[in-house]
Amino acid sequence: MKFMKLGSNPDTFQGDGNEVSIVASELVSDITVRIGTTKFYLHKSCFVRPLYRVEVVCDLETKFPLLSKCARFQKLIPTTGDENIDIHIHDIPGGAKAFEICAKFCYGMIVTLNAYNVIAARCAAEYLEMNETVDKGNLIYKIDVFLSSSIFRSWKDSIIVLGTTKAHLPWAEDLKLVSHCIDSVASKASIDVSKVEWSYTYSRKKLPTENGNDSPWNGVKQQQLVPKDWWVEDLTDLDIDAYKQVITAIKAKGMVPKDVIGEAIKAYTYKKLPSLSKVSMIHGDAKVRAMLVTITCLLPSEKGSVSCSFLLKLLKATNLLKCGEMCRKELMKRIARQLEEASVSDLLIPTVDGDTTVYDIDLILSIVEEFVRQDCKNAQKHNGGEVNDHVSAPSASMITVAKIVDGYLAEVAKDPNIPVYKFFSLAETVSGNSRPVHDGLYRAIDMYLKEHPGLGKSDKKRLCALMDCKKLSPDACAHAVQNERLPLRIVVQVLYHEQTRASAAATIRADSIGIGSYESSRSGATTNTEDEWDGVMAVEDLSLSKTAKLDKCGTAGTDAEKNHGGTKQAANGRVKGGATPKKALGKMMSSKGQTGERSSSDSSDSAILPSQEHPKRTPARSTTKSAAA
């Protein structure tokens, strides 16, 4: 730390424990200066006799120590008269300690200035008008030289001085001390890392972009490089107002990458709000809310400058502490731009007091809607302003967000207070085209049906209509056909599509075998082996045990049974110990007249396949033949 000593006379100021300071001299004091509860007994006219000198020339400085250097005292203290003078000063910046420094300087006593007291002394000297017009080499001049030649050239001293300016406003601002401190800190933070020669605090992990920079080269280890964010930790000691001014100045210089600025803001936030990751533990007040709003405003506008996880933590805190709609919307817009980076746990934002649901699904719905709008705009720019939602392929970000939304829906579905319209609205926000596989959506819907057993039939059908049975994996289909919570129509569609998939696989194999045998003498074309085909069928087919629960269901689809039940089963279309989807569908449809687990209204309405999915009808077969199949 830099420091400066002024004066040469010994310090003869004494305190008696009652906040009273006295100058030890041969003369009785005739001036009392009161600053708060502290009294200074000084001299209007005196002859200071240092302990180590026998005689001192009596000039203006020694005869009138205060008047010779302080223009304000020249106005308050008459040079004639023997009466004692009592002066009250209430508004001197820095208080009694700063005045003591100025008084000692007037008496020529030793004074030590450093980063912690120099701003207070400078403001007090300005208050007492200790400038060059009163006396050459006065205190103001000496302090200004010390600041420019030492303090502002030191990285850590500049930060310390900046931190002390808050206690001396508005004097520090009027004297340009704050702006000089900010410029000093911002200039050093913006300098090329190769020119950093001063000490700094750094105990953080390097940025991801810097990993590997210190690796050996040609067998010789390189000199340790200064990390790009070397300045981040030292600034965390500043209060939010000073920090805001420094970050704004750094941004204005345009020399620091946006991700480094974002990392600095993140580090500062976690330092000042260590419980941010545990928002439920934050007890907010006006200061915390103001800090969160300021941090949000400081975030760089560029995408990726801070992580989506950090943005969601900020949103969780601002939502809980009710920091205002403007702050909330700004964070939501930023989150939407990089929503594909989020995790399901990050999106589980609790609701504020008064809401019956556990998580704020409306907040996430707004974010997803904003993401979809932004993704649509990006697609329009990429395609020259013309986008056909039914034809254009979804972006990679949209596919990722669809998976995240499905995972989020599966979590919030466990809340019995989530109304079905909110669940449906969020699921519908991401189009089915953005889900190459609908397993995640099926899992979320099944979880909702499980936690809401009293859901009406129309709501069940509306939810299940979100799924595309053709996009369910074999494992999901196997689960769906024995899921008693699903409407019968959905189970029939799943069985039908599994049958279609198995038939298509059998056709492809048959064609492959035929072509292979026909061209075996002319071509090196390969075909599926018997083991490979068995593996495919084992995944695609459904076992009879998985569909046995459907035998109880009443059916209205004898035509479907006649069309599919009597078809001859291919020899390779079976799984050992199981049955194909065709047989399972025929068995379910032939159980007409039995009392099922689902209602008759559900069965009659749900057994009808979509028009475009009806199989080609064949001549009617007897019930006996169908059953035999």
Side-chain angles (χ1 to χ4, degrees):
M1 179 185 296
K2 305 292 184 180
F3 65 92
M4 180 177 69
K5 284 189 175 182
L6 300 175
S8 57
N9 296 331
D11 184 359
T12 57
F13 271 52
Q14 299 177 355
D16 62 359
N18 295 322
E19 296 184 310
V20 177
S21 295
I22 305 172
V23 173
S25 68
E26 299 176 354
L27 299 177
V28 178
S29 62
D30 51 6
I31 298 177
T32 303
V33 179
R34 302 174 186 266
I35 301 177
T37 58
T38 304
K39 297 179 181 180
F40 291 88
Y41 294 97
L42 307 175
H43 306 85
K44 179 175 61 176
S45 174
C46 69
F47 180 82
V48 181
R49 185 181 296 279
L51 300 178
Y52 60 89
R53 294 180 63 184
V54 179
E55 185 175 335
V56 177
V57 177
C58 184
D59 55 10
L60 179 63
E61 182 175 347
T62 57
K63 186 176 182 180
F64 301 105
L66 296 177
L67 276 62
S68 63
K69 296 183 181 296
C70 302
R72 179 175 284 265
F73 278 148
Q74 293 178 7
K75 302 172 185 176
L76 297 176
I77 303 174
T79 57
T80 60
D82 297 331
E83 69 279 1
N84 292 332
I85 300 174
D86 198 349
I87 301 175
H88 293 261
I89 300 178
H90 305 285
D91 54 349
I92 184 172
K97 291 184 177 180
F99 176 79
E100 183 175 342
I101 293 175
C102 297
K104 287 180 178 180
F105 177 79
C106 293
Y107 280 91
M109 298 176 184
I110 296 175
V111 177
T112 301
L113 296 177
N114 54 45
Y116 290 100
N117 64 12
V118 66
I119 296 298
R122 176 63 180 86
C123 294
E126 187 71 25
Y127 177 89
L128 296 174
E129 302 177 28
M130 303 176 69
N131 48 53
E132 291 298 285
T133 58
V134 180
D135 186 44
K136 293 294 183 181
N138 213 341
L139 185 57
I140 290 177
Y141 170 77
K142 292 184 180 296
I143 291 179
D144 287 345
V145 171
F146 176 56
L147 287 172
S148 59
S149 63
S150 297
I151 295 296
F152 293 149
R153 292 188 178 185
S154 170
W155 164 250
K156 291 194 173 182
D157 283 347
S158 296
I159 296 174
I160 293 172
V161 168
L162 179 58
T164 64
T165 57
K166 183 177 182 180
H168 309 298
L169 298 176
W171 286 88
E173 283 187 341
D174 295 339
L175 297 174
K176 308 297 183 184
L177 297 175
V178 175
S179 60
H180 288 159
C181 290
I182 291 171
D183 185 67
S184 173
V185 175
S187 297
K188 290 177 176 60
S190 302
I191 200 172
D192 190 282
V193 293
S194 62
K195 298 180 181 179
V196 176
E197 299 176 349
W198 47 81
S199 63
Y200 54 86
T201 304
Y202 196 86
S203 59
R204 311 171 64 253
K205 293 182 179 179
K206 285 190 175 182
L207 296 175
T209 55
E210 295 182 297
N211 289 337
N213 283 353
D214 298 333
S215 59
W217 180 74
N218 288 343
V220 180
K221 188 170 180 62
Q222 295 177 334
Q223 184 179 2
Q224 186 73 18
L225 297 178
V226 177
K228 293 180 180 179
D229 58 340
W230 62 267
W231 50 271
V232 167
E233 281 187 74
D234 286 325
L235 294 189
T236 58
D237 293 330
L238 295 172
D239 64 86
I240 186 62
D241 294 329
Y243 187 79
K244 175 183 178 180
Q245 292 175 299
V246 170
I247 294 298
T248 302
I250 293 175
K251 285 182 178 181
K253 291 182 181 297
M255 304 297 292
V256 179
K258 302 302 180 184
D259 62 325
V260 178
I261 295 177
E263 190 67 20
I265 296 173
K266 178 181 176 181
Y268 183 84
T269 304
Y270 284 133
K271 174 70 176 294
K272 298 299 183 180
L273 300 173
S275 59
L276 182 68
S277 58
K278 300 178 181 179
V279 179
S280 59
M281 298 178 62
I282 293 181
H283 301 286
D285 55 13
K287 290 184 178 180
V288 176
R289 285 194 292 270
M291 181 179 294
L292 286 171
V293 172
T294 301
I295 288 171
T296 301
C297 296
L298 286 177
L299 293 173
S301 58
E302 288 76 8
K303 177 182 178 181
S305 56
V306 290
S307 66
C308 188
S309 176
F310 175 66
L311 291 173
L312 282 163
K313 285 183 174 64
L314 285 179
L315 179 62
K316 190 180 297 184
T318 55
N319 191 51
L320 181 65
L321 301 178
K322 301 177 182 179
C323 293
E325 189 66 19
M326 184 177 297
C327 178
R328 186 163 164 265
K329 287 184 177 180
E330 178 64 24
L331 284 171
M332 290 168 60
K333 186 181 297 184
R334 291 175 183 269
I335 292 169
R337 285 190 298 178
Q338 50 194 96
L339 186 57
E340 67 273 12
E341 303 172 10
S343 65
V344 173
S345 59
D346 290 332
L347 295 176
L348 297 176
I349 299 176
T351 56
V352 295
D353 298 337
D355 203 324
T356 58
T357 58
V358 177
Y359 300 112
D360 196 338
I361 194 171
D362 292 329
L363 189 64
I364 303 304
L365 176 61
S366 300
I367 293 174
V368 176
E369 289 175 343
E370 177 64 24
F371 168 81
V372 172
R373 283 194 294 269
Q374 294 180 8
D375 187 78
C376 183
K377 289 181 180 179
N378 294 334
Q380 289 176 349
K381 292 179 181 178
H382 182 73
N383 293 279
E386 295 182 3
V387 177
N388 189 336
D389 294 335
H390 300 287
V391 178
S392 61
S395 64
S397 298
M398 181 65 77
I399 294 174
T400 303
V401 169
K403 293 180 181 178
I404 296 172
V405 169
D406 291 345
Y408 177 80
L409 287 171
E411 290 298 320
V412 299
K414 301 174 185 177
D415 182 3
N417 293 323
I418 291 290
V420 65
Y421 75 89
K422 288 189 177 183
F423 184 94
F424 182 86
S425 298
L426 181 56
E428 191 182 36
T429 303
V430 182
S431 64
N433 189 35
S434 302
R435 296 180 173 98
V437 179
H438 277 212
D439 286 14
L441 181 59
Y442 166 68
R443 176 175 174 269
I445 292 174
D446 181 54
M447 184 65 68
Y448 191 87
L449 295 177
K450 179 180 178 181
E451 297 296 331
H452 300 77
L455 195 65
K457 296 176 184 177
S458 60
D459 288 332
K460 282 186 179 181
K461 293 178 182 179
R462 189 184 179 198
L463 278 182
C464 294
L466 292 168
M467 290 189 301
D468 187 346
C469 298
K470 291 181 290 186
K471 292 186 177 182
L472 293 177
S473 68
D475 288 341
C477 290
H479 185 278
V481 296
Q482 60 179 341
N483 191 342
E484 298 178 355
R485 292 184 288 271
L486 295 178
L488 184 58
R489 175 185 179 88
I490 300 300
V491 178
V492 172
Q493 288 181 357
V494 171
L495 286 170
Y496 172 75
H497 291 305
E498 276 295 276
Q499 176 195 12
T500 303
R501 180 156 44 186
S503 299
T507 302
I508 293 173
R509 184 181 182 278
D511 293 343
S512 176
I513 293 174
I515 295 172
S517 61
Y518 178 74
E519 296 182 351
S520 59
S521 60
R522 299 183 304 164
S523 169
T526 60
T527 61
N528 290 333
T529 64
E530 196 67 28
D531 291 339
E532 290 171 341
W533 177 245
D534 287 342
V536 173
M537 294 306 295
V539 173
E540 295 291 331
D541 289 348
L542 302 173
S543 67
L544 182 60
S545 61
K546 292 180 178 179
T547 59
K549 293 184 179 182
L550 296 173
D551 291 345
K552 299 178 182 180
C553 300
T555 68
T558 19
D559 287 342
E561 181 272 328
K562 292 177 181 178
N563 291 337
H564 300 289
T567 305
K568 184 177 180 179
Q569 184 68 42
N572 291 328
R574 296 178 182 272
V575 182
K576 295 178 180 181
T580 64
K582 182 185 295 185
K583 183 173 182 179
L585 178 60
K587 184 175 181 62
M588 183 191 73
M589 301 301 291
S590 63
S591 60
K592 180 180 180 181
Q594 300 179 12
T595 303
E597 295 179 8
R598 309 175 200 267
S599 66
S600 59
S601 63
D602 207 13
S603 300
S604 62
D605 176 69
S606 302
I608 303 174
L609 296 173
S611 59
Q612 68 273 22
E613 297 172 356
H614 272 300
K616 185 176 180 180
R617 295 191 178 276
T618 58
R621 292 176 175 80
S622 63
T623 307
T624 304
K625 182 181 288 187
S626 299

